[in-house]
Structure formats: C-alpha cells, structure tokens
Amino acid sequence: MSIEVLASRIASPKPLGSYSSEDVIFLLKDLSGVHLEKGTEDREEAIQAGTHYSEMLPVEYQPTREYIHLFHETLAFTARKVAFAAAVTAEQIAAKRGRNIMLASLARAGTPIGILIKRYFKTIYQYTLPHYSISIIRGKGIDENAVIYMLNQHPGFEIQFVDGWTGKGAIRKVLTDAAETILAKYGIPLNDDLAVLADPGQCSSTFGTREDFLIPSACLNSTVSGLMSRTVLRDDLIGPHDFHGAKFYKEWLSDDLSNHFIDTVSAYFQEVAGEAQLVANQLLSDSSKTEETWKGLNDIKRIQLDFGISDLNLVKPGVGETTRVLLRRVPWKILIDRWDNPNLRHILLLAADRSVPVEVYPNLTYSCCGIIKPLKGGGE
C-alpha cells in the first residue's frame, strides 16, 4: 500500500502547544479534556504492578520560587554551552544527511532540542527544515501514523530523529526496533540515527557533547516543553488512525518559559557557529570519537549488583533522567559522582525538598543517577 493511501486515513494535526507552528508541529492527538493524572505514589504503584507508564500521566510538578530562580540562573550560565552543543549536533546532521531531511523530535524532551537545531539551520544557513514532534514509547514503539504523515507531506525527504539526551539508551533501542518494524510492515526504510544534544550513555554517534551536564529544559516539565504533557497511548483513547495523545496545559500559559528558553539559547548561534563547525568536523573525521560503546549501560549493571536491584528500569542515569525521577517518581536514593559537581545544584535542591538521601558513588560515568524505590517490580 502506498504512502499516499496510508496517509489518507490519518487526520491532519490540530494546533497544539505554546511554540510557534514555524518552530514545530506536534503530531499528537489532543487529550486535554481527559483526566489522566495520578498522584506520584499511586502512579508508582500502578507502574510497578504492571500498568504501562504511557496509560496515565503524572501530576505536573509545580516548582517553588527558589527552583524557578535556579532555572533562570542555570539558563544564564549554560545558554552558550547549550547553543554550542546544538550547533555541533546540527553541523553533523548537515554533513551526514544533507538538506533533504525533516526533523522528528521525540516528544517531549526532544522537542526544544529539535527547535534549536531548526533555528540553527535557519540562522546560519538560511534554510528551513520541516520539524515535527512525535511520540515514541518504550515497550510500545514509535507512532507509525506520525511517520507516515511526515513522509507523505515531504516526498523525497528523509527523517532525522532528535532527542534531548541519552540515559541507558532505551529509546535508542526502541527507535532501532521501530525502523525494522516499519521496513517489514510497509517497506519504508528509516535511518535510525538519533541526534541528541548530550550523549553521556555513549549510545549515539550524532551528539553535541558526551558530558552529563544540566540542560535547562530538563529542569522543568511542560512549562519548558511547549506546555505539553508526556505522550499517552491507550486503546480506549487512541484509534488505529490517530496519532498518539498528549495534553496541552493552556492554563499555565502565564508560567510558560518554553519560548524564553529557545530565544535565550538561539541568541548565541552566530557566536558559536565557527567553533562548532570545527568540532563537528573533528568528530566526523575520527570515528573513534563517536563510537557507540554503551559505556553508561555497564555502569547501570554495576549499580544493579551493588544495590541488589532486580529491575533495570528502576535505575535512571544522568542529570535529565535523575531530574525526572525527582519530579514524577518515588525516589529511593540519588547517586552522584562528587559533591562539588556544578551540574547537580537543582538535583540536590529537589532531593532535599523530597527528603531523598544522596550519596557519592565512585567512578560513575554520569554526573548522577536516580534510583526508584522498588515496590513490586515493573518500571517505566
């Protein structure tokens, strides 16, 4: 069956989120009117009892004034660094893939990064890449309707997938499996290269840095991700020709920092472009620098043994994933590489706020690692 016929069954996307449609189009079904949130303890118990995490949403964390202040302080301190990493990533994409590509950000952490890459191409090369944000879910796969819609909208273009960072590399594996599924099911070849801003897990070959540093967009939830929830996939809500779902939190427009983050970082693109091109060329010319060693996963297995954790999914490595544990899961403890790591200020603040113990774990690849409190098994 042709792409055109498959796409004809899929409804056109409706405007969602607080970003401009010039920055990104969300290929997501609006579930704003559906009550999907569960309290942290109830959600954790449900997940570990076997309910898939994509069938419900966490209650969005409402940050304290001190935490919002820390976000602004962190953004001011790291904006150039984020811009440089986005630029290095964009330059590698340009060299590897050319210009007949469209960006598919993996909602929701990938969305602001995809926007930054799109803005970089526009600023430095005066070239506009199509950019969509689509859903991919561990244990369930990618939104095939979104992929088909994109390919039908832009004949002759290939998809470049984008995410914020890597942890254990779970989404990287889901993407590889999804590409194999789509090829077998539809005869459509996809490049499973996943471009990320930060790759501390060393499981991607297209990245801006492998340092596990604090990306400010990981500090907050929807208020720095276009006011979108994480994605939802449930049979009673999502039909066979629907996109995966999400909620648009319009009620928080007055608190939204999504575009402020993008504008602040984008302002550095002209300044960092020359240096970014040099670094990207160095990475592209020496494959040993971009080798996918999956080193971070070995760290996680060591942590599993040392702490007697049977379920790998309860160990969440890296600054971004540890932040998520503290914002929407039930943490057991936080492991850090050292107390004076400047990337950990918000982690230590959140841990203190939730009375979660923090301890140094020697020879950690990541800056930190969050361990979810084991209840009955399962995991997100």
Side-chain angles (χ1 to χ4, degrees):
M1 193 177 295
S2 68
I3 286 282
E4 293 81 4
V5 173
L6 291 167
S8 67
R9 303 172 177 178
I10 303 168
S12 295
K14 297 179 180 178
L16 277 177
S18 62
Y19 295 120
S20 163
S21 60
E22 294 180 1
D23 278 328
V24 64
I25 294 172
F26 286 97
L27 299 185
L28 294 167
K29 181 179 180 178
D30 188 3
L31 300 178
S32 300
V34 183
H35 181 71
L36 293 163
E37 290 80 6
K38 278 186 176 288
T40 303
E41 298 282 346
D42 291 340
R43 183 171 179 269
E44 190 64 51
E45 187 172 338
I47 288 172
Q48 295 196 38
T51 301
H52 197 277
Y53 71 88
S54 68
E55 296 179 13
M56 55 194 164
L57 291 173
V59 175
E60 291 275 314
Y61 171 73
Q62 295 301 296
T64 62
R65 183 176 297 179
E66 182 183 11
Y67 192 76
I68 289 290
H69 176 74
L70 181 58
F71 166 81
H72 286 289
E73 194 176 78
T74 301
L75 179 58
F77 182 71
T78 62
R80 189 186 187 280
K81 187 175 186 175
V82 173
F84 180 72
V88 171
T89 307
E91 290 290 349
Q92 290 176 82
I93 291 171
K96 288 181 176 183
R97 306 294 298 277
R99 294 192 178 186
N100 282 344
I101 59 166
M102 47 191 156
L103 302 176
S105 298
L106 303 182
R108 71 183 165 181
T111 309
I113 308 308
I115 293 174
L116 289 175
I117 291 170
K118 173 168 180 158
R119 290 254 190 121
Y120 182 84
F121 270 86
K122 182 69 174 176
T123 301
I124 304 302
Y125 295 109
Q126 293 76 53
Y127 186 75
T128 301
L129 293 177
H131 177 215
Y132 299 89
S133 184
I134 71 174
S135 170
I136 189 168
I137 295 172
R138 191 177 58 76
K140 294 194 176 185
I142 203 164
D143 186 341
E144 295 178 8
N145 288 334
V147 170
I148 290 166
Y149 179 88
M150 291 178 65
L151 292 171
N152 184 62
Q153 289 290 307
H154 305 279
F157 279 53
E158 293 185 352
I159 298 175
Q160 172 68 61
F161 295 99
V162 177
D163 207 355
W165 58 84
T166 62
K168 296 188 292 287
I171 291 299
R172 176 77 176 79
K173 291 180 177 177
V174 174
L175 181 58
T176 299
D177 291 344
E180 292 174 359
T181 298
I182 287 175
L183 180 61
K185 195 170 176 180
Y186 305 108
I188 299 171
L190 293 178
N191 189 326
D192 68 345
D193 177 51
L194 180 62
V196 294
L197 194 77
D199 179 39
Q202 298 188 18
C203 48
S204 176
S205 60
T206 306
F207 56 84
T209 180
R210 279 185 162 161
E211 180 188 350
D212 185 21
F213 79 103
L214 173 56
I215 303 169
S217 59
C219 279
L220 302 171
N221 282 330
S222 66
T223 48
V224 78
S225 302
L227 295 183
M228 297 298 292
S229 75
R230 60 175 311 160
T231 58
V232 174
L233 185 57
R234 221 169 70 187
D235 290 344
D236 61 324
L237 297 173
I238 308 299
H241 305 306
D242 288 335
F243 299 125
H244 292 187
K247 298 183 81 163
F248 173 24
Y249 295 115
K250 297 186 187 75
E251 63 270 27
W252 294 336
L253 274 167
S254 61
D255 299 316
D256 189 29
L257 294 165
S258 305
N259 291 292
H260 174 67
F261 168 74
I262 297 295
D263 292 341
T264 303
V265 173
S266 298
Y268 287 94
F269 283 156
Q270 292 282 6
E271 180 182 323
V272 303
E275 185 185 353
Q277 288 160 7
L278 290 174
V279 171
N281 288 334
Q282 290 170 2
L283 291 171
L284 291 164
S285 64
D286 185 354
S287 59
S288 67
K289 294 180 179 179
T290 58
E291 183 182 359
E292 297 174 9
T293 66
W294 297 79
K295 183 176 182 294
L297 191 56
N298 294 327
D299 261 20
I300 306 312
K301 291 176 179 177
R302 179 164 56 98
I303 289 169
Q304 269 192 283
L305 287 173
D306 287 351
F307 290 93
I309 300 166
S310 60
D311 187 350
L312 187 75
N313 292 315
L314 298 179
V315 185
K316 301 290 187 180
V319 173
E321 295 303 310
T322 301
T323 303
R324 287 175 167 184
V325 169
L326 287 162
L327 292 180
R328 63 184 190 223
R329 301 299 294 269
V330 178
W332 177 38
K333 62 176 64 184
I334 305 299
L335 307 180
I336 61 174
D337 62 344
R338 64 183 198 275
W339 286 108
D340 62 348
N341 185 333
N343 294 312
L344 298 178
R345 289 181 61 204
H346 81 294
I347 295 289
L348 298 177
L349 186 64
L350 284 172
D353 188 46
R354 296 196 61 184
S355 300
V356 179
V358 178
E359 61 183 75
V360 173
Y361 186 76
N363 303 313
L364 190 62
T365 299
Y366 306 90
S367 289
C368 58
C369 183
I371 303 179
I372 296 166
K373 185 178 181 180
L375 299 176
K376 299 177 181 177
E380 180 179 341

